[in-house]
Structure formats: structure tokens, C-alpha cells
Amino acid sequence: MKLRARLTIFSVLLIVVLVAGISAGTIFFLHKLFRDELQQNQHTTLMNFRQVCEEAEEVRDPIIASNYVKTIEKTVPGLAYAVFINERLELMIGENAVFDKIYPFFSRAAERTSSPRVVRVSSGDDILEWSSDVTVNGVIGVVRLGFFQDVIDRTIGEKVNEVQRIVFLV
């Protein structure tokens, strides 16, 4: 084999390895970037929900929080539940079947937990749960948001695949 042919083959292999390495690194970091972005959006939704519940408690109107729960259930993809429980255990807004599987007892739902955390439901679904204290002149309750982990993973996969298609077309 002539020197020119060897040099050409070596150059082509080097370019292929570099492009493959850069592509793999890009996809890895995009996956992390999209996961971080999604978690930031979930945290923002939690803080907004907490603020609505605080305002609802200040004016003593639980309908405000109830309406907000209905709104985010319609607009936030992958939301399993959005619940507010007050400390006196007198009020729970947003309760549904998924939430009842995780917290069968009302008092357990009001306990403080680390956030975010992954909770497994008896049906086998994993739920990424965010929680925060609701405070109006002291702690008055807890808000909990649960997101289906498979929907989160599917959303991230779709975004990464979309970027991959764009990169391969270019």
C-alpha cells in the first residue's frame, strides 16, 4: 500500500473517531442539560404552588389553591399529583389515586421529607416527588408535587433524539 493511501485511511479514521467522540460527549451533556432544565422547571412549579397555598391560607380561601391544582394538572406534563396538606390536618387539596397509594394515611402525608426524592408506587411506577413547607407566620403545611419518572425520561429522550436528528442532518 502506498504512503498516500495509508495517510488517507489514517486521516479518515482519525476524523471518524473525533466526530464520534464529540457526538457522544455532546449527547451526554445534552442529556444532563435537559434533565437539569426539567428539574429547574419542576422546582419553579413547586415554589409557585407553595406561594399560591400561602396566599390561599392568608385569605382563608382554599378554592384558590384548588383552582391552581386543577390548572397545573392540565398544563404540566407528567404530573402525578399536586397536593397541599395543612398542619392541623384539616385540609388536603389535590388528593388523587396515585397520592393515596403513596400516602394512605393523612398524617403521614403532612410529614416533612427530603426533596426531591424518588418514591415507588405499588403499581411499579417511580414518582419524583418535590415537597416544601408552606409558611404564614410559621409553618402551616406542606405542598407536594409528584412527577412520573418514565414521562420525565421519555421527555428527555425525545429532546435528545430531536437534537441528534438535527446534528445528523447537518
Side-chain angles (χ1 to χ4, degrees), residues 34-50 68 72 76-82 115-118 126-132 143-156:
F34 289 144
R35 182 168 299 281
D36 291 346
E37 178 186 339
L38 206 55
Q39 285 186 340
Q40 181 63 37
N41 290 344
Q42 292 169 348
H43 184 260
T44 301
T45 303
L46 176 72
M47 294 297 105
N48 291 343
F49 183 38
R50 184 188 81 189
Y68 188 77
I72 62 176
V76 177
L79 184 71
Y81 55 82
S115 180
R117 69 185 186 129
V118 176
D126 287 339
I127 306 290
L128 178 64
E129 182 182 84
W130 292 80
S131 63
S132 179
V143 290
R144 295 186 184 282
L145 290 179
F147 297 90
F148 289 108
Q149 189 67 46
D150 61 335
V151 174
I152 293 169
D153 294 339
R154 188 171 50 244
T155 302
I156 292 170

Side-chain angles (χ1 to χ4, degrees), residues 26 30 34 158-168:
T26 301
L30 277 175
F34 289 144
E158 289 170 359
K159 286 183 175 184
V160 169
N161 287 339
E162 185 178 331
V163 171
Q164 281 178 329
R165 276 185 255 127
I166 292 169
V167 167
F168 287 133

Side-chain angles (χ1 to χ4, degrees), residues 3 10 21 25 31-33 40 43 46 52 57 79 86 88 90 93 100 102-103 118 125 143 145 153 155 161:
L3 183 59
F10 178 73
H31 193 273
K32 183 178 178 348
L33 175 74
Q40 181 63 37
H43 184 260
L46 176 72
V52 167
E57 281 291 308
L79 184 71
N86 74 359
R88 299 177 305 277
E90 301 166 345
I93 296 172
D100 289 341
I102 298 171
Y103 298 102
V118 176
D125 292 329
V143 290
L145 290 179
D153 294 339
T155 302
N161 287 339

Side-chain angles (χ1 to χ4, degrees), residues 4-60:
R4 176 175 250 173
R6 288 183 194 171
L7 187 58
T8 302
I9 291 173
F10 178 73
S11 297
V12 168
L13 286 176
L14 184 61
I15 290 171
V16 167
V17 168
L18 282 172
V19 168
I22 291 170
S23 297
T26 301
I27 290 170
F28 172 77
F29 288 114
L30 277 175
H31 193 273
K32 183 178 178 348
L33 175 74
F34 289 144
R35 182 168 299 281
D36 291 346
E37 178 186 339
L38 206 55
Q39 285 186 340
Q40 181 63 37
N41 290 344
Q42 292 169 348
H43 184 260
T44 301
T45 303
L46 176 72
M47 294 297 105
N48 291 343
F49 183 38
R50 184 188 81 189
Q51 185 177 4
V52 167
C53 290
E54 288 171 350
E55 291 171 5
E57 281 291 308
E58 284 178 354
V59 296
R60 305 227 184 268

